[in-house]
Amino acid sequence: MEAAAFLEETGRARIDLFRGRLGQAAADPASEEAIHDLRVSIRRVLAWIAVRGALLGPDRGLRAARSSLKALMSPLGKLRDAHVKRDLIRTILPKGDEPSYLYAVLVASDVQLREEKVGGLLGRKSARRIRVPLPRTRTERGSGPDASVAGSRHLSMLGRAVLKHRKGALDPSNPDALHRMRLAFKKYRYAWEVLEHLLPRAARNRGKRLHDFQTLLGTIHDCDVILVDVRSFRTEYLGEKAECSLETAVRALRSEKFRDFERIAEHETRAAPMIV
């Protein structure tokens, strides 16, 4: 199948889904599910734009749309981070010491402020009017690049970008390397979603494995973020030297999830088969 025809078909589906998710989130900006679904739909459109650019070259209209979508993702991401902190505290530490409680109060306040900000943003006409054009690339039959060949080449490039961070990410004292691997893997996973139907050897359950591995990396990163955040709050604002119960609980969760990561990335070496 020619790349132009394939990308037009996959792009239309993703753009339509984004428009629907944007309407749902604008109608209920306090809904975690609606915000999550909108963020995922934006990521899938951005992945499609990146794949299309790699296979067919850049498009001016899509470049502008990409900037608008990324600008929208920034406040949505900050709201998501606040939701994650709140939900993590609720899950692993229903009760705790005073520093943990005071930090939980701070997070709850941050959630409320960011929900209000996102609600105002999604209610603006400028947000509701975001459009992602669907370029029509006209090529003579048989003259355009083959989508499966070009797509496999693009995925291989993204896969190499993931694997180059593997060694550093396996160092538990190097959260920055794991974060870089997570970002690279996220690009690979969403590009794979665009191209999966072109890959005849793709394992039937590969999509779930990619999703689960990305979730695992995300959970470890969330623990790293909250540990830095709580420590700063405890030392700079409360003047407390001793680690609070929330930090202890988050650190234990990170250790558990990091062992899962080691098992996948090193002992079972499942990360590479998912990518190669």
Side-chain angles (χ1 to χ4, degrees), residues 51 55 146-156 195 198-199:
V51 170
L55 271 59
D146 179 84
S148 60
V149 174
S152 296
R153 188 181 301 118
H154 181 59
L155 280 178
S156 295
L195 298 163
L198 298 174
L199 308 174

Side-chain angles (χ1 to χ4, degrees), residues 39 57 66 68 73 83 89 98-99 130 163 165 207 212 237:
R39 292 182 73 248
R66 179 177 179 273
S68 297
M73 277 293 279
H83 281 155
I89 293 170
E98 184 177 7
I130 292 178
L163 293 176
H165 299 298
D212 291 346
Y237 291 94

Side-chain angles (χ1 to χ4, degrees), residues 27-211:
D28 189 8
S31 168
E32 284 189 53
E33 183 179 1
I35 295 298
H36 170 74
D37 290 344
L38 175 58
R39 292 182 73 248
V40 172
S41 71
I42 292 174
R43 290 201 180 281
R44 285 175 171 152
V45 172
L46 290 173
W48 172 78
I49 292 174
V51 170
R52 189 189 183 283
L55 271 59
L56 299 179
D59 178 87
R60 182 178 300 176
L62 289 178
R63 189 182 298 119
R66 179 177 179 273
S67 297
S68 297
L69 292 174
K70 280 187 168 290
L72 181 59
M73 277 293 279
S74 180
L76 293 176
K78 291 177 181 177
L79 174 57
R80 177 265 178 196
D81 291 344
H83 281 155
V84 166
K85 290 178 184 177
R86 182 192 64 187
D87 295 344
L88 186 61
I89 293 170
R90 287 175 174 174
T91 301
I92 68 173
L93 198 72
K95 296 181 180 179
D97 51 24
E98 184 177 7
S100 301
Y101 170 75
L102 292 175
Y103 179 76
V105 172
L106 179 68
V107 169
S109 175
D110 189 41
V111 167
Q112 183 177 2
L113 289 173
R114 296 198 180 281
E115 284 180 345
E116 292 174 355
K117 183 174 181 178
V118 167
L121 174 64
L122 295 179
R124 296 175 188 168
K125 291 182 179 180
S126 58
R128 295 198 300 268
R129 288 176 178 173
I130 292 178
R131 293 289 183 269
V132 182
L134 188 63
R136 298 185 179 277
T137 305
R138 308 233 177 239
T139 60
E140 296 182 6
R141 189 179 183 85
S143 63
D146 179 84
S148 60
V149 174
S152 296
R153 188 181 301 118
H154 181 59
L155 280 178
S156 295
M157 179 193 71
L158 294 176
R160 290 192 295 272
V162 176
L163 293 176
K164 77 176 184 179
H165 299 298
R166 178 174 171 271
K167 183 177 180 180
L170 283 167
D171 179 359
S173 65
N174 191 355
D176 288 341
L178 189 140
H179 177 51
R180 289 192 293 271
M181 181 179 183
R182 182 183 71 90
L183 295 178
F185 187 83
K186 189 181 296 185
K187 291 181 180 180
Y188 176 87
R189 180 243 170 147
Y190 283 112
W192 186 89
E193 282 189 351
V194 176
L195 298 163
E196 64 175 310
H197 297 297
L198 298 174
L199 308 174
R201 296 184 180 180
R204 185 172 297 178
N205 66 339
R206 181 173 293 182
K208 184 179 185 304
R209 291 171 60 197
L210 293 174
H211 172 272

